[in-house]
Amino acid sequence: MLNQYLPIIVMIVAAAGTAIGMIVATTLIGPKKSFPDKDEPFECGVSPVHNPKSRFSISFYVIAMLFIIFDIEAVFLFPWAVIFQKLGMFGFIEMLLFIFVLAVGLVYVWRKGALEWE
Amino acid sequence: MDITLIPGYQYMPELVEMMLKIVFIFTMNVGVFAPLLGYVERKQSALMQDRIGANRAAILGFTIFGLWHTMTDAIKLIAKEDFIPEGADKPLHFLAPFVAVVPALIAFAVIPFGGTYYLWGHEAHLIIADLDVGILFIFAVAGIGTYGAVIAAWASNNNWSLLGGVRTAAQMVSYEVAMGLTIVGVLMVYESLKLTEIALIQEDFFMWGIFLQPVGFLLFLACALAENKRVPFDIPEAESELIAGYFTEYSGLKFAMFWMAEFVEIVTISAILTVLFFGAWHIPFVTHDGLLSLLTSVVGADIGNLLLMFIHLAVFWGKVCFLIVFLMLIRWSLPRFRYDQIMKLGWKIILPLALVNILATGVILLVVK
């Protein structure tokens, strides 16, 4: 038997080759005409007045933090789910407690208003 | 020359099989579905909005239902100028479409598109890489795709791009959580992360995921649409307020790469839905062995296996095509959700429902046992 990850490596090489080929093709083919007005970032025809690399809403950061917490919880549930039927009642109650803690966390961020968007 | 003298000779059939499968999947995704879905989407929207649709491109007067438009689109995209705006981060501007398209192309590696067939003494498995952690691999690879959008947004030095990128990032991570919890119910029922095992259990029509996990299916469908950033979840690229979202400053083939990534993702999502919920390559009430023995009695074992393989391939891709059309039907039927509505749906409705689904599945499984 071949290593089961070998096809994935071949696949990554093929996909990367396709992607690099497309990038190289688009830089080589096609016209190259640049002048100052054209090179400006697209802003519906007016000159940009606001630098995009400035502050944005804190809510996005909060969502990113919540994602890390809840996604790790989800990953912990995966191995449990696979052997759930073998564990029976014991495993179910154990995981019930785990999900309860997760749910308390969700209720907390909900009540704190971290999921509200104005 | 004696072929057995070549080093690694015993691996030759497997290597050839592997290359054939990879070429097949690449041809399906890049060569068939990516260009064709653009056409299908235009034609379907025309049908639904009572227009005639793409029908102008013609060679010697033949329009073949507007199919030449797939070719003219490709030529146009290749011939366009590669535009990079002033103040953009050039290396990142090149990296972003690469990061977006590569994960989309490799996610299909762990999805089975057929069973096991014995062809002239060779055992062929219709899956590129049968990993034990198949579903986790798809989640991991799909997660990388988010970086493509965020890098594109940051590199473009454009307000609309950055707004689109920030919205994309928050939406995709939110629905990744919901999607991960939704899939747990499916794993509990089938007791495996391996997609081939999940598919094999569904040979029995009444073991199909859609019957065992109906709520899980609906939640997964909503999450999959949101992950793909399609209507009604397309606020990150809402054209009426953000031009095109994170790929506003992309043109030519680099734009085509984002476009290709999106269409290949639709194919992958449809394939995952087929394997998890719609019985993969199985025909309802027809077993693998039953059909094989029938075919074998008519045309012999090897040809029988080959015929069965083609039948299963047709069934699998037929189901995938049906789901693609269904997803596009949703695309042209629903209005766009507001951003707060999307976040509310993800965190306050789908996430708690997914947890309830896990508990309900657990209780039912324990009672049935």
Side-chain angles (χ1 to χ4, degrees), chain A residues 1-2 4-8 10-12 14-16 18-20 22-23 25-27 29-33 36 38-44 50-53 56 60 63 66-67 70-71 74 77-78 80-82 84-86 88-89 92 96 99 102 106 110 115-117, chain B residues 11 14 18 22 26 78-83 85-86 94 98 101-102 105-106 128-131 136-137 154 157-160 162 166 170 173-174 176-177 180-181 183-184 187-189 191 193 243 249 253-254 257 339-340 343 347-348 351 355 358-359 362-363 365-366 369:
Chain A
M1 273 300 279
L2 291 165
Q4 58 175 350
Y5 284 93
L6 179 72
I8 289 184
V10 176
M11 199 102 174
I12 291 173
T18 313
I20 292 171
M22 285 175 88
I23 291 178
T26 199
T27 42
I29 310 167
K32 301 268 180 299
K33 294 189 200 93
K38 181 181 167 186
D39 286 344
E40 278 181 8
F42 185 75
E43 194 91 37
C44 309
H50 175 258
N51 181 13
K53 285 167 190 173
F56 48 86
F60 293 107
I63 289 292
L66 293 179
F67 159 72
F70 284 94
D71 211 36
L77 284 172
F78 273 43
W80 167 78
V82 172
F84 167 73
Q85 294 189 26
K86 292 186 195 75
M89 198 48 136
F92 184 63
L96 214 59
I99 293 175
L102 166 67
L106 183 64
W110 193 324
L115 304 177
E116 305 299 326
W117 292 79
Chain B
Y11 295 122
E14 284 184 41
M18 179 186 92
I22 292 176
F26 257 76
I78 292 170
K80 287 282 177 192
E81 178 179 353
D82 172 38
F83 173 76
E86 191 185 278
F94 279 98
F98 180 84
V101 84
V102 170
L105 288 175
I106 61 175
I128 291 174
D130 195 6
L131 299 187
L136 272 181
F137 177 83
W154 186 255
N157 190 31
N158 181 312
N159 285 312
W160 312 123
L162 195 75
V166 170
V173 296
S174 297
E176 219 170 289
V177 172
L181 288 173
I183 211 83
V184 170
L187 302 181
M188 286 164 79
V189 173
E191 294 184 276
L193 281 165
I243 326 297
E249 296 290 2
L253 277 180
K254 277 152 85 183
M257 284 163 80
Y339 199 68
D340 62 320
M343 292 318 237
W347 286 97
K348 295 187 179 175
L351 189 64
L355 291 177
I358 293 171
L359 296 183
V363 169
L365 280 174
L366 284 176
K369 285 258 158 172

